[in-house]
Amino acid sequence: MSTPHNRAEKGDFAKTVLMPGDPLRAKFIAETFLENPRLVTDVRGMLGYTGTYQGRPISVMGSGMGMPSIGIYSYELYSQYGVENIIRIGSAGSYTEKAKLFDVVLAAGAYSESNYAVTQSGDADDIQKPNAELNAALKASAAAQGIPLIEGNIHSADVFYREPSDEKPAYWERLRDEKGCLAVEMESFALFHNAKVLGKRAACLLTISDSFVSPEITTPEQRQTSFTAMMKVALGADAY
Ligand code: HPA
């Protein structure tokens, strides 16, 4: 069996899949952290690997950017491949001084103005939630390794380049102040919703790769290689 978007066979994925946005980051994670990683899918360059971490089976697969993309891949992993847990490990732009460059954020909820949930299943909630047990396991993993986590809502945006760019007050300031969003990414709302409708589990860890409140930005090389703390938190969780 395979799908139009995934050539893996049933049984090729572990029960837990780590999902970075960038398929090359999935390759990097598999080759750096997993024992005996093997490529299980590469349709459209969306690389997926399965190996073991400290003897336990685990997979890592890219999600692509945006909710339609993670919506397709995560739905198929849950519904076709028997996957139970998907941990998104992504990057985000910070909306607040509280979340600084390279800090690790654990999503408590994903707010979105997206129509993904209402279109997919008629669910009008504008905040979709991660799984509480997974979040507890990720917090325990972080605490055991002395890695600080900032927990709060995140914004899953449908639009990267908004107009007018000089709007006052900025769109994101309202989301920070009214919805409690610490940072922006583009995928978790759809992932959490898919997990909810399919009775599965999802969570999201993010490293801050850029900031709306301070002008510093990171390079692609830094984004590719500097997420070790976040990966240790994800890999060290024992809920899988
Ligand atoms: N916007 C949306 N998604 C992101 C950003 C951003 O600024 N940074 C990292 N992911």
Side-chain angles (χ1 to χ4, degrees):
M1 67 148 268
S2 60
T3 79
H5 321 103
N6 195 324
R7 71 165 169 82
E9 295 297 324
K10 220 173 183 69
D12 274 347
F13 280 98
K15 292 252 176 282
T16 298
V17 181
L18 306 183
M19 283 202 112
D22 179 353
L24 291 180
R25 202 177 298 150
K27 181 174 196 282
F28 173 81
I29 294 166
E31 290 173 353
T32 308
F33 295 97
L34 302 193
E35 300 119 23
N36 306 313
R38 85 191 155 88
L39 183 72
V40 295
T41 184
D42 57 2
V43 178
R44 292 177 183 239
M46 198 55 74
L47 307 174
Y49 297 82
T50 296
T52 59
Y53 180 75
Q54 296 180 348
R56 288 181 296 170
I58 192 156
S59 298
V60 53
M61 180 176 174
S63 69
M65 289 184 285
M67 289 184 256
S69 186
I70 197 167
I72 291 169
Y73 294 116
S74 62
Y75 193 94
E76 291 179 349
L77 288 172
Y78 285 139
S79 65
Q80 306 289 312
Y81 290 98
V83 169
E84 294 295 327
N85 308 301
I86 297 181
I87 318 293
R88 169 165 150 70
I89 43 176
S91 62
S94 176
Y95 283 169
T96 166
E97 298 283 359
K98 285 186 224 156
K100 299 193 170 27
L101 222 52
F102 298 123
D103 280 352
V104 184
V105 171
L106 175 68
Y111 164 82
S112 188
E113 62 285 87
S114 160
N115 284 328
Y116 184 91
V118 90
T119 305
Q120 207 272 348
S121 72
D123 180 350
D125 284 354
D126 65 1
I127 296 187
Q128 298 286 323
K129 294 280 192 182
N131 177 269
E133 288 160 14
L134 279 188
N135 270 19
L138 291 166
K139 280 197 274 188
S141 168
Q145 299 178 83
I147 297 169
L149 282 188
I150 304 172
E151 197 178 353
N153 283 351
I154 56 166
H155 175 206
S156 296
D158 257 344
V159 175
F160 190 91
Y161 297 109
R162 283 193 98 252
E163 298 287 344
S165 53
D166 58 357
E167 183 189 15
K168 299 275 185 252
Y171 183 70
W172 59 267
E173 289 175 296
R174 290 196 293 271
L175 297 183
R176 178 192 60 197
D177 299 341
E178 291 168 21
K179 302 287 183 182
C181 296
L182 300 175
V184 58
E185 51 87 84
M186 305 186 78
E187 292 82 17
S188 293
F189 181 84
L191 172 65
F192 295 170
H193 177 71
N194 278 354
K196 178 159 120 186
V197 296
L198 295 169
K200 303 284 185 166
R201 310 200 298 178
C204 173
L205 290 166
L206 299 165
T207 52
I208 300 299
S209 60
D210 51 271
S211 173
F212 287 62
V213 289
S214 78
E216 246 181 316
I217 54 164
T218 59
T219 65
E221 288 73 25
Q222 283 174 307
R223 285 174 193 239
Q224 175 84 6
T225 56
S226 66
F227 296 100
T228 306
M230 175 173 66
M231 287 171 203
K232 281 187 182 164
V233 174
L235 290 165
D238 65 1
Y240 315 144

